[in-house]
Amino acid sequence: MTHLLSLKPHWSSPGEPFRHSWEPLANIDQFHWMTRADVLEQLEQAQREIGIRHVRAVGMFDDKLRVWAQGPDQFHFKNEDRYLRPNYQIIDYVMDRLLKIGVRPMYTMCFMPSKMADGKSIIWDNSHTRPPLDHGAWSEFVKNAVIHARQRYGVEEVRNWYFELWNEPNLMPSFWGGTQEEFFKLWGVAFRAVKSVDPELRLGGPSTARGEWLEEFLDFAQKDGSSPDYIVTHCYNNDSDSQPLVPFDGPASFRVKDSPHYLGGVVRGVEKLLKDRKFAGEVHWNEWGRSWFPYDPQKESALEAAFICKTMSDVSQAATYFGYWCLSDVYDQAGYNAETFRGHYGMLNLQGLRKPSYVAHQLLHRLGHERLGCSGGNELENAIVTPTAEGHSLLVFRYPNGIKDPVQPGTVEITLPGQPKTARLFRINERENNILAHWRELGSPDYLSPGQLSDLSGVNHPTASLGAVAIEQRGEGWVARFELETPAVALLELT
């Protein structure tokens, strides 16, 4: 049975400002990946196609970046005569190239150089997560790193960066080998180190998973005199499995396991908490998505595209930035891909092919910056309606009750303000604007030949569905009608 979704935009009502909060921030797994030409090319592509302006990548202070190490001149030194010193050459290499392509860094001060750590606590890639042995020495290290950046790139440029201390310290011992008290102490030290260089630099925290520690962090920072310039936290829709004690705003049915609305409830809960605390700074959800699982084939499906559009329709105005996790499959936290597609995090695969999640961001990018109201939808299927310079753009999403529900056929009807000159429809579904469908037609090869990659690249850009929209006159009005299954996304552009 075909399900009909009938939408009635409020064409004559005044609209509201509509910030593209999903655009400015992209995530790369680890800072060292940005020494690769292909990752830099993917960032340049994303800057051009979906509007990113900042990139976040943890591990800037890892040993592999050689930021605190001995030099080659000590080759003949006795062990007792060898010494460590700062080395920013690799960081500078990355920063130079980011700025050249028009992307600014989130300067993420983690993890701990191993020779500064007070003990051994490492994660899968040998990043060290213990607190510093000497907070004074670490403070000087941070201060010198910031001074170097300011001297190299200039005061005004660096004031446009964001500074961040750590990544998910509440996931102990995975990302933080100390206690909450020890992390808060490190925050205070970092805050004073950064601000001693320039009080105008922006430092945010606590960068926790699941929206946790916010009240405790704000209480500490207020007493310590180190209140953050902006709030950073993360959430995934399947974080509901862990039943975190986080702020939540929404009905009890939205908080249960597998609810499609869990992430939105957390975002609104944090928004309310910060409003009650009279926090006036920016709020960054710089990791978010439907699933935090490193392997989840549905992340490479139209379901993920529909979830992105549904969530941004719901809560995109409730924070400053939403940085989807993550941009690229160049990634090695739970294993490096040996296949072209393998249910991994990235919106772009290893070869830079655009998955449905990336195309969803491309369609969102085409929307205007004012939103009109719309009747007839609900929390799972609805539309974002925006005026544009040429006419109007309507982004329609259909999301299932359960992520394992079978694909359902459907039809969408939209009342129009008049007869349009043109109507163009882009769809993301199981076949259209879905590179995995083309890859499967090739036999799902794990390794693409140069010819196969060229063929897939040739069909890997948003393509309108020819003849898919019917414009019908009904009485004195006009209606646009097209097919749209569940889950799926459609962008209707009217001129």
Side-chain angles (χ1 to χ4, degrees), residues 7 294 303 343 373 375 398:
L7 298 172
L303 178 84
S375 302
R398 308 192 82 162

Side-chain angles (χ1 to χ4, degrees), residues 8-230:
K8 298 180 179 180
H10 304 167
W11 300 111
S12 59
S13 298
E16 296 182 350
F18 188 58
R19 290 178 293 103
H20 289 199
S21 57
W22 58 85
E23 286 182 1
L25 177 59
N27 282 290
I28 295 294
D29 166 44
Q30 297 273 326
F31 194 88
H32 69 87
W33 294 126
M34 294 192 294
T35 62
R36 289 176 45 156
D38 57 346
V39 174
L40 292 169
E41 288 168 1
Q42 290 183 12
L43 284 166
E44 185 174 11
Q45 173 184 322
Q47 191 279 331
R48 184 176 64 252
E49 295 180 345
I50 61 178
I52 71 165
R53 300 195 298 274
H54 299 275
V55 60
R56 176 179 180 267
V58 302
M60 283 185 65
F61 289 170
D62 282 357
D63 287 352
K64 60 179 69 70
L65 274 295
R66 310 296 192 270
V67 293
W68 188 244
Q70 69 180 46
D73 58 315
Q74 301 178 48
F75 176 72
H76 291 295
F77 286 18
K78 295 178 181 179
N79 286 340
E80 61 268 23
D81 294 332
R82 292 179 179 177
Y83 61 92
L84 305 175
R85 81 283 188 264
N87 182 347
Y88 309 116
Q89 292 290 355
I90 299 178
I91 288 179
D92 288 351
Y93 168 85
V94 173
M95 296 299 193
D96 291 352
R97 278 146 185 82
L98 290 178
L99 296 176
K100 186 175 181 180
I101 63 176
V103 177
R104 289 183 165 126
M106 308 284 287
Y107 199 105
T108 305
M109 299 175 289
C110 67
F111 292 95
M112 191 63 59
S114 62
K115 299 299 183 181
M116 286 189 172
D118 70 357
K120 188 173 183 180
S121 177
I122 59 175
I123 51 180
W124 54 88
D125 66 345
N126 291 319
S127 296
H128 288 255
T129 62
R130 283 292 301 168
L133 181 65
D134 182 337
H135 283 81
W138 187 79
S139 174
E140 284 300 309
F141 169 73
V142 168
K143 186 188 303 184
N144 288 336
V146 178
I147 289 172
H148 172 79
R150 199 174 76 147
Q151 289 175 340
R152 184 175 180 86
Y153 301 108
V155 174
E156 295 307 316
E157 173 58 39
V158 176
R159 283 179 177 175
N160 283 306
W161 298 4
Y162 290 96
F163 288 77
E164 181 184 9
L165 173 60
W166 210 259
N167 176 69
E168 299 185 341
N170 60 318
L171 299 188
M172 300 178 290
S174 295
F175 287 107
W176 175 240
T179 64
Q180 183 189 78
E181 181 181 14
E182 288 174 317
F183 175 73
F184 288 169
K185 179 180 179 179
L186 191 71
W187 164 264
V189 173
F191 182 90
R192 278 176 272 279
V194 171
K195 296 293 184 175
S196 71
V197 178
D198 185 349
E200 297 298 314
L201 298 181
R202 300 176 290 187
L203 180 63
S207 306
T208 45
R210 303 189 296 248
E212 295 179 349
W213 287 15
L214 294 181
E215 287 210 90
E216 301 97 316
F217 174 67
L218 289 171
D219 287 342
F220 167 84
Q222 184 176 23
K223 293 176 184 177
D224 184 60
S226 57
S227 294
D229 296 296
Y230 64 102

Side-chain angles (χ1 to χ4, degrees), residues 303-344:
L303 178 84
E304 193 76 5
F307 180 80
I308 289 168
C309 296
K310 167 200 172 303
T311 305
M312 291 299 92
S313 172
D314 185 21
V315 295
S316 65
Q317 307 307 292
T320 313
Y321 291 163
F322 287 85
Y324 179 84
W325 188 263
C326 62
L327 179 65
S328 177
D329 271 352
V330 178
Y331 194 102
D332 194 15
Q333 287 190 17
Y336 192 85
N337 266 12
E339 298 85 15
T340 303
F341 296 103
R342 189 62 174 174
H344 216 344

